Amino acid sequence: MSIKGKVALITGAGQGIGRAIALRLASDGADISLVDVNGDRVDAVADEVRAVGAKAISLVADVTDRDQVQTAVDRTERELGGFDIIVNNAGIAQVNPIADVTPEEVSRILAVNVEGVLWGIQVGAAKFRELGHGGKIINASSIAGHEGFPMLGVYSATKFAVRGLTQAAAKEYASDGITVNAYCPGVVGTDMWVTIDERFAALTGAPKGATFDKFVGGIALGRAQTPEDVAAYVSYLAGPDSDYMTGQAGLIDGGLVYR
Ligand SMILES: NC(=O)C1=CN([C@@H]2O[C@H](COP(=O)(O)OP(=O)(O)OC[C@H]3O[C@@H](n4cnc5c(N)ncnc54)[C@H](O)[C@@H]3O)[C@@H](O)[C@H]2O)C=CC1
Ligand SMILES: CC(=O)C(C)=O
């Protein structure tokens, strides 16, 4: 079944997993609103989406600012003629042992990974209600939202928080015909993992690439995940085949964490 004719907004769409989701939902038939703090990157992805044959707009917005999220959702509806799916994908990682975490770091990662998702849920659901129809809200959690990893403690806390928000929102918005689910990727070879690996190397003296290889070594399917692997699951969550699913945070990690 398809999402042909639907409009999807994706945050953090300038690269990595967000870019792959945009291209996948465009191939599935949706028009795409691409949101990121990096305007050049999101413009380039919009060109790629148009090459697939979908309509695309690129919007610069910081998900930590509710007003900017509101403007992005309003412009999406106005410029693409609807609003049906929001993917709250934008996120950042931080690597630090709990002993060394600073208040500034905590504030920043909570703002992006938790508040950013919260505003996307709140503003997105309000727009679905205003338009008088249901919708799909899809949030980025992680394997780190199911299991705490050393040096990734605060990041893990934010991704557990996304699962909590997803469950609560699923219950609050169910009667509006809005479903709320999360995706929990494993080890995806994006810039985020380059940064994580470099930071582990700097903190522990591990050779560059060793931390990434160690995580990948634990994956039952024997390879790192691609952004397209994640996008395939988000395609299911965005489409009608998942209409009877809400409040879930599914692991899509090649068999790394078992819950
Ligand atoms: N890469 C991985 O292995 C995994 C990633 N994830 C999650 O998937 C999501 C996407 O990750 P990646 O594509 O790997 O990351 P990435 O670092 O490659 O891309 C993130 C994008 O989000 C944008 N962004 C960052 N802060 C923003 C803000 N305040 N407002 C708007 N846009 C902002 C960045 O400019 C960038 O384009 C994140 O939520 C991440 O935590 C979850 C599990 C594994
Ligand atoms: C980047 C990430 O989500 C990890 C390490 O689970």
Side-chain angles (χ1 to χ4, degrees):
M1 291 173 86
S2 94
I3 53 171
K4 196 162 175 42
K6 303 283 188 192
V7 173
L9 183 157
I10 300 148
T11 69
Q15 64 179 45
I17 294 170
R19 169 185 169 274
I21 293 169
L23 290 169
R24 174 60 193 252
L25 298 190
S27 301
D28 290 347
D31 293 327
I32 309 292
S33 172
L34 302 127
V35 174
D36 204 288
V37 279
N38 188 312
D40 289 342
R41 284 206 218 116
V42 90
D43 285 348
V45 178
D47 286 340
E48 292 185 274
V49 168
R50 289 185 197 105
V52 173
K55 283 190 214 150
I57 58 170
S58 49
L59 304 171
V60 176
D62 184 334
V63 297
T64 67
D65 182 328
R66 186 171 66 167
D67 291 343
Q68 292 188 33
V69 175
Q70 182 72 61
T71 301
V73 168
D74 289 342
R75 282 191 59 187
T76 299
E77 186 220 338
R78 210 166 49 240
E79 295 175 33
L80 291 177
F83 179 66
D84 306 282
I85 299 157
I86 183 165
V87 185
N88 296 306
N89 168 76
I92 58 170
Q94 278 170 4
V95 180
N96 227 354
I98 288 167
D100 296 337
V101 166
T102 66
E104 294 73 23
E105 272 180 284
V106 175
S107 299
R108 181 65 196 153
I109 199 165
L110 283 172
V112 179
N113 292 9
V114 182
E115 284 184 58
V117 170
L118 171 61
W119 303 142
I121 294 171
Q122 185 189 74
V123 172
K127 179 60 76 177
F128 295 146
R129 279 177 169 167
E130 181 190 317
L131 294 173
H133 59 60
K136 301 268 188 180
I137 298 176
I138 304 166
N139 303 322
S141 181
S142 166
I143 49 168
H146 285 270
E147 181 174 332
F149 292 92
M151 315 273 238
L152 289 164
V154 183
Y155 177 78
S156 281
T158 67
K159 294 301 184 180
F160 271 77
V162 169
R163 290 180 53 216
L165 279 172
T166 299
Q167 291 179 11
K171 293 175 185 176
E172 290 187 19
Y173 294 113
S175 59
D176 295 289
I178 297 169
T179 62
V180 190
N181 291 293
Y183 51 99
C184 301
V187 184
V188 192
T190 64
D191 282 3
M192 178 175 278
W193 246 105
V194 173
T195 308
I196 291 172
D197 184 78
E198 284 174 358
R199 179 84 178 136
F200 265 91
L203 286 174
T204 67
K208 275 199 182 158
T211 306
F212 181 76
D213 289 346
K214 190 171 158 197
F215 270 79
V216 172
I219 298 173
L221 292 182
R223 66 165 174 86
Q225 188 167 9
T226 65
E228 290 72 25
D229 292 325
V230 185
Y233 183 50
V234 173
S235 164
Y236 166 71
L237 296 177
D241 284 346
S242 65
D243 277 355
Y244 196 62
M245 175 174 169
T246 198
Q248 302 305 308
L251 285 155
I252 165 91
D253 66 355
L256 178 58
V257 165
Y258 294 82
R259 288 290 180 271

